[in-house]
Coordinates of all heavy atoms in Angstrom, one line a residue:
K217 N 84.2 110.5 130.9 CA 83.2 111.4 130.5 C 83.7 112.8 130.2 O 83.3 113.5 129.2 CB 82.0 111.5 131.5 CG 81.2 110.2 131.6 CD 80.1 110.3 132.6 CE 79.2 109.1 132.6 NZ 78.1 109.2 133.6
N218 N 84.6 113.3 131.0 CA 85.0 114.7 130.9 C 86.5 114.8 131.2 O 86.9 115.4 132.2 CB 84.2 115.6 131.8 CG 84.5 117.1 131.5 OD1 84.8 117.5 130.4 ND2 84.4 117.9 132.6
P219 N 87.4 114.2 130.4 CA 88.8 114.1 130.7 C 89.5 115.5 130.7 O 89.1 116.4 129.9 CB 89.4 113.2 129.6 CG 88.4 113.4 128.5 CD 87.1 113.5 129.1
M220 N 90.4 115.8 131.6 CA 91.1 117.0 131.6 C 92.3 116.9 130.6 O 93.4 116.4 131.0 CB 91.6 117.3 133.0 CG 92.5 118.6 133.1 SD 91.6 120.1 132.7 CE 90.8 120.5 134.2
I221 N 92.1 117.2 129.4 CA 93.1 117.1 128.4 C 94.2 118.2 128.5 O 95.4 117.9 128.4 CB 92.5 117.2 127.0 CG1 91.6 115.9 126.8 CG2 93.6 117.2 125.9 CD1 90.6 116.0 125.6
C222 N 93.8 119.4 128.9 CA 94.7 120.5 129.1 C 94.6 121.1 130.5 O 93.7 121.9 130.7 CB 94.5 121.6 128.0 SG 95.7 122.9 128.2
D223 N 95.4 120.6 131.4 CA 95.5 121.2 132.8 C 96.5 122.3 132.7 O 97.7 122.1 133.1 CB 95.9 120.1 133.7 CG 95.8 120.5 135.2 OD1 95.7 121.8 135.4 OD2 95.9 119.7 136.1
E224 N 96.1 123.4 132.2 CA 97.0 124.5 131.9 C 97.8 125.0 133.2 O 99.0 125.2 133.1 CB 96.3 125.7 131.3 CG 97.2 126.9 131.0 CD 96.5 128.0 130.3 OE1 95.3 127.9 130.0 OE2 97.2 129.0 130.0
D225 N 97.1 125.1 134.3 CA 97.7 125.5 135.5 C 98.9 124.6 135.9 O 100.0 125.1 136.2 CB 96.7 125.6 136.7 CG 97.3 126.1 137.9 OD1 97.3 127.4 138.1 OD2 97.7 125.4 138.8
N226 N 98.7 123.3 135.9 CA 99.7 122.4 136.3 C 100.8 122.3 135.3 O 102.0 122.3 135.6 CB 99.2 121.0 136.5 CG 100.2 120.0 137.1 OD1 100.7 120.2 138.1 ND2 100.5 119.0 136.3
L227 N 100.5 122.4 134.0 CA 101.5 122.3 132.9 C 102.4 123.5 133.0 O 103.7 123.3 132.9 CB 100.8 122.3 131.6 CG 100.2 120.9 131.1 CD1 99.4 121.1 129.9 CD2 101.3 119.9 130.8
R228 N 101.9 124.7 133.3 CA 102.8 125.8 133.5 C 103.7 125.7 134.7 O 104.9 126.1 134.7 CB 102.0 127.1 133.5 CG 101.4 127.4 132.1 CD 100.8 128.8 132.0 NE 100.1 129.0 130.7 CZ 100.8 129.4 129.7 NH1 102.1 129.6 129.7 NH2 100.2 129.6 128.5
R229 N 103.2 125.2 135.8 CA 104.0 125.0 137.0 C 105.1 124.0 136.7 O 106.2 124.1 137.1 CB 103.1 124.6 138.1 CG 102.1 125.7 138.6 CD 101.4 125.3 139.9 NE 100.3 126.2 140.1 CZ 100.4 127.4 140.5 NH1 101.6 128.0 140.8 NH2 99.3 128.2 140.7
V230 N 104.7 122.9 136.0 CA 105.7 121.8 135.7 C 106.8 122.4 134.8 O 108.0 122.2 135.0 CB 105.0 120.7 135.0 CG1 106.1 119.7 134.3 CG2 104.1 119.9 135.9
S231 N 106.4 123.3 133.8 CA 107.4 123.9 132.9 C 108.4 124.7 133.7 O 109.6 124.7 133.5 CB 106.7 124.8 131.9 OG 107.6 125.4 131.0
C232 N 107.9 125.5 134.7 CA 108.8 126.2 135.6 C 109.7 125.4 136.3 O 110.9 125.6 136.4 CB 108.0 127.1 136.5 SG 107.1 128.5 135.8
K233 N 109.2 124.3 136.9 CA 110.0 123.4 137.7 C 111.1 122.7 136.9 O 112.1 122.3 137.4 CB 109.1 122.3 138.4 CG 108.2 122.9 139.5 CD 108.9 123.2 140.8 CE 108.0 123.5 141.9 NZ 108.7 123.9 143.2
L234 N 110.8 122.4 135.6 CA 111.8 121.7 134.8 C 112.9 122.5 134.2 O 113.8 122.0 133.5 CB 111.0 121.0 133.7 CG 110.1 119.8 134.0 CD1 109.4 119.3 132.8 CD2 110.8 118.7 134.7
Q235 N 112.8 123.9 134.4 CA 113.8 124.7 133.7 C 115.2 124.4 133.9 O 116.0 124.5 132.9 CB 113.5 126.2 134.1 CG 112.2 126.8 133.6 CD 112.1 126.6 132.0 OE1 113.0 127.1 131.3 NE2 111.0 126.0 131.6
N236 N 115.6 123.9 135.0 CA 117.0 123.6 135.3 C 117.2 122.1 135.4 O 118.2 121.7 136.0 CB 117.4 124.3 136.6 CG 117.4 125.8 136.5 OD1 117.8 126.4 135.5 ND2 116.9 126.4 137.5
V237 N 116.3 121.3 134.8 CA 116.5 119.9 134.8 C 117.1 119.4 133.5 O 116.6 119.8 132.4 CB 115.1 119.2 135.0 CG1 115.2 117.7 134.9 CG2 114.6 119.6 136.4
T238 N 118.1 118.5 133.6 CA 118.7 117.9 132.4 C 117.8 116.7 132.0 O 117.6 115.8 132.8 CB 120.1 117.4 132.7 OG1 121.0 118.6 133.0 CG2 120.8 116.8 131.5
I239 N 117.4 116.7 130.7 CA 116.4 115.7 130.2 C 117.1 115.0 129.1 O 117.4 115.6 128.1 CB 115.1 116.3 129.8 CG1 114.5 117.2 130.9 CG2 114.1 115.3 129.3 CD1 113.2 118.0 130.5
V240 N 117.3 113.7 129.2 CA 118.0 112.9 128.3 C 117.2 111.7 127.8 O 116.6 111.0 128.6 CB 119.3 112.4 128.9 CG1 120.1 111.4 128.0 CG2 120.2 113.5 129.3
C241 N 117.2 111.5 126.5 CA 116.6 110.3 125.9 C 117.7 109.3 125.8 O 118.6 109.4 124.9 CB 116.0 110.5 124.6 SG 115.2 109.1 123.8
G242 N 117.7 108.2 126.6 CA 118.8 107.3 126.5 C 118.7 106.2 127.6 O 117.9 106.3 128.5
D243 N 119.7 105.3 127.6 CA 119.8 104.2 128.5 C 120.3 104.7 129.9 O 120.9 105.8 130.0 CB 120.8 103.2 127.9 CG 121.0 102.0 128.8 OD1 120.2 101.1 128.6 OD2 121.9 102.0 129.6
Y244 N 119.9 104.0 130.9 CA 120.3 104.4 132.3 C 121.8 104.6 132.4 O 122.3 105.4 133.3 CB 119.7 103.4 133.3 CG 120.3 102.0 133.3 CD1 121.5 101.7 133.9 CD2 119.7 101.0 132.5 CE1 122.0 100.4 133.9 CE2 120.2 99.8 132.5 CZ 121.4 99.5 133.1 OH 121.9 98.2 133.1
R245 N 122.6 103.8 131.6 CA 124.0 103.9 131.8 C 124.6 105.3 131.4 O 125.7 105.6 131.9 CB 124.7 102.8 130.9 CG 124.3 101.4 131.3 CD 124.8 100.4 130.2 NE 124.4 99.0 130.5 CZ 123.2 98.5 130.1 NH1 122.4 99.3 129.4 NH2 122.9 97.3 130.3
E246 N 123.8 106.1 130.7 CA 124.3 107.4 130.3 C 124.3 108.3 131.5 O 124.9 109.4 131.4 CB 123.4 108.0 129.2 CG 123.5 107.2 127.9 CD 122.8 107.9 126.7 OE1 122.7 109.1 126.7 OE2 122.4 107.2 125.8
S247 N 123.7 107.9 132.6 CA 123.8 108.8 133.8 C 125.1 108.6 134.6 O 125.3 109.3 135.6 CB 122.6 108.4 134.8 OG 122.7 107.1 135.2
R248 N 125.9 107.7 134.1 CA 127.2 107.4 134.9 C 128.0 108.6 135.2 O 128.5 108.8 136.3 CB 128.0 106.4 134.0 CG 129.3 106.0 134.7 CD 130.1 105.0 133.8 NE 129.6 103.7 133.9 CZ 129.0 103.0 133.0 NH1 128.7 103.6 131.9 NH2 128.6 101.8 133.2
D249 N 128.2 109.5 134.2 CA 129.1 110.7 134.5 C 128.4 111.7 135.4 O 129.1 112.5 136.0 CB 129.4 111.3 133.1 CG 130.4 110.4 132.3 OD1 131.0 109.6 132.9 OD2 130.4 110.7 131.1
F250 N 127.1 111.7 135.5 CA 126.4 112.7 136.3 C 126.5 112.2 137.8 O 126.6 113.1 138.7 CB 124.9 112.8 135.9 CG 124.1 113.7 136.8 CD1 124.1 115.1 136.5 CD2 123.4 113.2 137.8 CE1 123.3 115.9 137.4 CE2 122.6 114.0 138.7 CZ 122.6 115.4 138.4
I251 N 126.4 110.9 138.0 CA 126.3 110.4 139.4 C 127.6 110.4 140.1 O 128.6 110.0 139.6 CB 125.7 109.0 139.3 CG1 124.3 109.0 138.8 CG2 125.7 108.3 140.7 CD1 123.8 107.6 138.4
D252 N 127.6 111.0 141.3 CA 128.8 111.0 142.1 C 128.4 110.8 143.6 O 127.2 110.5 143.9 CB 129.6 112.2 141.9 CG 128.9 113.5 142.2 OD1 127.9 113.5 142.9 OD2 129.3 114.6 141.6
E253 N 129.3 111.1 144.5 CA 129.1 110.9 145.9 C 128.1 112.0 146.5 O 127.6 111.8 147.6 CB 130.4 111.0 146.7 CG 131.0 112.4 146.8 CD 131.9 112.7 145.6 OE1 131.9 111.9 144.6 OE2 132.6 113.8 145.6
N254 N 127.7 113.0 145.7 CA 126.7 114.0 146.1 C 125.3 113.7 145.6 O 124.5 114.5 145.7 CB 127.2 115.4 145.7 CG 128.6 115.7 146.2 OD1 129.5 116.0 145.5 ND2 128.7 115.7 147.5
T255 N 125.1 112.5 145.0 CA 123.9 112.2 144.3 C 123.0 111.2 144.9 O 123.5 110.2 145.4 CB 124.2 111.7 142.8 OG1 125.2 112.6 142.2 CG2 123.0 111.7 142.0
F256 N 121.7 111.5 145.0 CA 120.7 110.5 145.3 C 120.1 110.0 144.0 O 119.7 110.8 143.1 CB 119.6 111.1 146.1 CG 118.4 110.2 146.3 CD1 118.5 108.9 146.7 CD2 117.1 110.7 146.1 CE1 117.4 108.1 146.9 CE2 116.0 109.9 146.3 CZ 116.1 108.6 146.7
V257 N 120.1 108.7 143.8 CA 119.6 108.1 142.5 C 118.4 107.2 142.8 O 118.5 106.3 143.7 CB 120.7 107.2 141.9 CG1 120.3 106.9 140.4 CG2 122.1 108.0 141.9
Y258 N 117.4 107.4 142.1 CA 116.2 106.4 142.2 C 116.1 105.7 140.9 O 115.9 106.3 139.8 CB 115.0 107.2 142.5 CG 113.7 106.4 142.5 CD1 113.6 105.2 143.2 CD2 112.6 106.7 141.7 CE1 112.5 104.4 143.2 CE2 111.5 105.9 141.6 CZ 111.4 104.7 142.4 OH 110.3 103.9 142.3
F259 N 116.2 104.4 140.9 CA 116.0 103.6 139.7 C 114.6 102.9 139.8 O 114.3 102.1 140.7 CB 117.1 102.5 139.6 CG 118.5 103.0 139.4 CD1 119.4 103.1 140.4 CD2 118.9 103.3 138.1 CE1 120.7 103.5 140.2 CE2 120.2 103.7 137.9 CZ 121.1 103.8 138.9
D260 N 113.8 103.1 138.8 CA 112.5 102.4 138.7 C 112.3 101.8 137.3 O 111.6 102.2 136.5 CB 111.4 103.5 138.9 CG 110.0 102.9 138.9 OD1 109.8 101.7 139.3 OD2 109.0 103.6 138.5
P261 N 113.1 100.7 137.1 CA 113.1 100.0 135.8 C 111.8 99.3 135.5 O 110.9 99.2 136.4 CB 114.2 99.0 136.0 CG 114.2 98.6 137.4 CD 113.8 99.9 138.1
P262 N 111.6 98.9 134.3 CA 110.4 98.1 134.0 C 110.4 96.9 134.9 O 111.4 96.2 135.1 CB 110.7 97.6 132.5 CG 111.5 98.7 131.9 CD 112.4 99.2 133.1
Y263 N 109.3 96.6 135.5 CA 109.2 95.6 136.6 C 109.3 94.2 136.0 O 108.9 93.9 134.9 CB 107.9 95.7 137.3 CG 107.9 96.6 138.5 CD1 108.9 97.6 138.6 CD2 107.0 96.5 139.5 CE1 108.9 98.5 139.7 CE2 107.1 97.4 140.6 CZ 108.0 98.4 140.7 OH 108.1 99.2 141.7
R264 N 110.0 93.3 136.7 CA 110.0 91.9 136.3 C 108.6 91.3 136.5 O 108.0 91.4 137.6 CB 111.0 91.1 137.2 CG 111.3 89.7 136.9 CD 112.3 89.1 137.8 NE 112.7 87.8 137.4 CZ 112.5 86.7 138.1 NH1 111.9 86.7 139.2 NH2 112.9 85.5 137.7
P265 N 108.0 90.7 135.5 CA 106.7 90.1 135.6 C 106.6 89.1 136.7 O 107.5 88.3 136.9 CB 106.5 89.5 134.2 CG 107.4 90.1 133.3 CD 108.6 90.5 134.1
I266 N 105.5 89.2 137.5 CA 105.3 88.2 138.6 C 104.4 87.1 138.2 O 104.3 86.1 138.9 CB 104.7 88.9 139.8 CG1 103.4 89.6 139.5 CG2 105.7 89.9 140.4 CD1 102.7 90.2 140.7
T267 N 103.9 87.1 136.9 CA 103.1 86.0 136.4 C 103.5 85.9 134.9 O 104.0 86.8 134.3 CB 101.6 86.2 136.5 OG1 101.2 87.3 135.7 CG2 101.2 86.4 138.0
D268 N 103.1 84.8 134.3 CA 103.4 84.6 132.9 C 102.7 85.5 132.0 O 103.2 85.8 130.8 CB 103.1 83.1 132.5 CG 104.0 82.1 133.1 OD1 105.1 82.5 133.5 OD2 103.6 80.9 133.2
T269 N 101.6 86.1 132.4 CA 100.8 87.0 131.6 C 101.0 88.5 131.9 O 100.3 89.3 131.3 CB 99.3 86.7 131.7 OG1 98.9 86.8 133.0 CG2 99.0 85.2 131.2
A270 N 101.8 88.8 132.9 CA 101.9 90.1 133.4 C 102.7 91.1 132.5 O 102.8 92.2 132.7 CB 102.5 90.1 134.8
S271 N 103.4 90.5 131.4 CA 104.2 91.4 130.6 C 103.5 91.9 129.4 O 104.1 92.2 128.4 CB 105.5 90.6 130.2 OG 105.1 89.4 129.5
F272 N 102.2 92.0 129.4 CA 101.4 92.4 128.2 C 101.6 93.9 127.9 O 101.3 94.3 126.8 CB 99.9 92.1 128.4 CG 99.2 93.1 129.2 CD1 98.4 94.1 128.6 CD2 99.3 93.1 130.6 CE1 97.8 95.1 129.4 CE2 98.6 94.0 131.4 CZ 97.9 95.0 130.8
T273 N 102.1 94.6 128.8 CA 102.3 96.1 128.6 C 103.7 96.4 128.3 O 104.6 96.3 129.2 CB 101.9 96.9 129.9 OG1 102.6 96.4 131.0 CG2 100.4 96.8 130.1
A274 N 104.0 96.7 127.1 CA 105.3 97.1 126.7 C 105.4 98.6 126.6 O 104.8 99.2 125.8 CB 105.7 96.5 125.3
Y275 N 106.0 99.2 127.6 CA 106.0 100.7 127.7 C 107.0 101.3 126.7 O 106.9 102.5 126.3 CB 106.4 101.1 129.1 CG 105.5 100.5 130.1 CD1 106.1 99.9 131.3 CD2 104.2 100.5 130.0 CE1 105.2 99.3 132.2 CE2 103.3 99.9 130.9 CZ 103.9 99.3 132.0 OH 103.1 98.7 132.9
T276 N 108.0 100.5 126.2 CA 108.8 100.9 125.1 C 108.9 99.7 124.2 O 108.5 98.7 124.5 CB 110.2 101.4 125.6 OG1 110.9 100.2 126.0 CG2 110.1 102.4 126.7
E277 N 109.6 99.9 123.1 CA 109.8 98.8 122.2 C 110.9 97.8 122.7 O 111.1 96.8 122.1 CB 110.3 99.3 120.8 CG 109.1 100.0 120.1 CD 109.1 101.5 120.4 OE1 109.4 101.9 121.5 OE2 108.7 102.3 119.5
N278 N 111.6 98.2 123.8 CA 112.7 97.4 124.3 C 112.2 96.6 125.5 O 111.7 97.1 126.4 CB 113.9 98.3 124.7 CG 114.3 99.2 123.5 OD1 114.5 98.7 122.4 ND2 114.4 100.5 123.8
L279 N 112.5 95.3 125.5 CA 112.1 94.4 126.6 C 113.2 94.6 127.6 O 114.4 94.8 127.4 CB 112.0 93.0 126.1 CG 110.9 92.7 125.1 CD1 110.9 91.3 124.7 CD2 109.5 93.1 125.7
F280 N 112.9 94.4 128.9 CA 113.8 94.5 130.0 C 113.8 93.1 130.7 O 113.0 92.9 131.7 CB 113.4 95.6 131.0 CG 114.6 96.2 131.7 CD1 115.4 97.2 131.1 CD2 114.9 95.8 133.0 CE1 116.4 97.7 131.8 CE2 116.0 96.3 133.7 CZ 116.7 97.3 133.1
N281 N 114.6 92.2 130.2 CA 114.5 90.8 130.7 C 115.4 90.6 131.9 O 116.0 91.5 132.5 CB 114.8 89.8 129.6 CG 116.2 90.1 129.0 OD1 117.1 90.7 129.7 ND2 116.4 89.7 127.8
D282 N 115.5 89.3 132.4 CA 116.3 89.1 133.6 C 117.8 89.5 133.4 O 118.4 90.0 134.4 CB 116.2 87.6 133.9 CG 114.9 87.3 134.7 OD1 114.1 88.2 134.9 OD2 114.7 86.1 135.1
E283 N 118.3 89.3 132.2 CA 119.7 89.7 132.0 C 119.9 91.2 132.2 O 120.9 91.7 132.7 CB 120.2 89.2 130.6 CG 121.7 89.5 130.3 CD 122.6 89.0 131.4 OE1 122.4 87.8 131.8 OE2 123.6 89.7 131.8
E284 N 118.9 91.9 131.7 CA 118.9 93.4 131.9 C 118.8 93.8 133.3 O 119.4 94.7 133.8 CB 117.8 94.1 131.1 CG 118.0 94.1 129.6 CD 119.0 95.1 129.2 OE1 119.4 95.9 130.0 OE2 119.4 95.1 128.0
Q285 N 118.0 93.0 134.1 CA 117.8 93.3 135.5 C 119.2 93.1 136.2 O 119.6 93.8 137.1 CB 116.8 92.4 136.2 CG 115.4 92.6 135.6 CD 114.7 93.9 136.1 OE1 115.2 94.6 136.9 NE2 113.4 94.1 135.7
I286 N 119.9 92.0 135.8 CA 121.2 91.7 136.4 C 122.2 92.8 136.0 O 123.0 93.2 136.9 CB 121.7 90.3 135.9 CG1 120.8 89.2 136.5 CG2 123.1 90.1 136.3 CD1 121.0 87.9 135.9
E287 N 122.2 93.3 134.8 CA 123.1 94.3 134.4 C 122.8 95.6 135.2 O 123.8 96.3 135.5 CB 122.9 94.6 132.9 CG 123.5 93.6 132.0 CD 125.0 93.5 132.1 OE1 125.7 94.6 132.2 OE2 125.6 92.4 132.2
L288 N 121.5 95.9 135.4 CA 121.2 97.1 136.2 C 121.8 96.9 137.6 O 122.3 97.9 138.2 CB 119.7 97.3 136.3 CG 119.2 98.4 137.2 CD1 119.8 99.8 136.8 CD2 117.7 98.5 137.2
A289 N 121.6 95.7 138.2 CA 122.2 95.5 139.6 C 123.7 95.7 139.6 O 124.2 96.3 140.6 CB 121.8 94.1 140.0
R290 N 124.4 95.3 138.5 CA 125.8 95.6 138.5 C 126.1 97.1 138.4 O 127.1 97.6 139.0 CB 126.4 94.9 137.2 CG 126.4 93.3 137.4 CD 126.8 92.7 136.0 NE 126.8 91.2 136.1 CZ 126.6 90.4 135.1 NH1 126.5 90.9 133.8 NH2 126.6 89.1 135.2
F291 N 125.3 97.8 137.6 CA 125.5 99.2 137.5 C 125.2 99.9 138.9 O 125.9 100.8 139.3 CB 124.5 99.8 136.5 CG 124.7 101.3 136.2 CD1 125.7 101.7 135.4 CD2 123.8 102.2 136.7 CE1 125.9 103.1 135.1 CE2 123.9 103.6 136.5 CZ 125.0 104.0 135.7
V292 N 124.2 99.4 139.6 CA 123.9 99.9 141.0 C 125.2 99.7 141.9 O 125.6 100.6 142.6 CB 122.7 99.2 141.6 CG1 122.6 99.5 143.1 CG2 121.4 99.7 140.8
D293 N 125.8 98.5 141.8 CA 127.0 98.3 142.6 C 128.1 99.3 142.2 O 128.8 99.7 143.0 CB 127.5 96.8 142.3 CG 126.5 95.8 143.0 OD1 125.8 96.2 143.9 OD2 126.6 94.6 142.6

Side-chain angles (χ1 to χ4, degrees):
K217 290 184 178 180
N218 192 30
M220 176 65 82
I221 295 166
C222 183
D223 187 348
E224 182 174 359
D225 184 85
N226 185 63
L227 282 168
R228 291 190 181 277
R229 295 189 192 283
V230 168
S231 182
C232 289
K233 292 284 190 181
L234 291 178
Q235 289 306 302
N236 297 316
V237 175
T238 299
I239 305 173
V240 174
C241 181
D243 183 86
Y244 66 87
R245 297 171 185 88
E246 294 188 29
S247 65
R248 178 181 280 108
D249 291 339
F250 177 86
I251 297 170
D252 58 21
E253 69 276 9
N254 303 121
T255 312
F256 170 49
V257 192
Y258 173 55
F259 292 102
D260 183 32
Y263 273 21
R264 186 175 187 247
I266 58 176
T267 66
D268 291 338
T269 58
S271 58
F272 79 101
T273 54
Y275 306 132
T276 70
E277 291 87 327
N278 305 309
L279 297 178
F280 207 84
N281 57 25
D282 279 1
E283 184 55 40
E284 287 284 353
Q285 299 285 359
I286 292 168
E287 285 296 318
L288 174 60
R290 291 172 182 157
F291 185 77
V292 168
D293 288 340

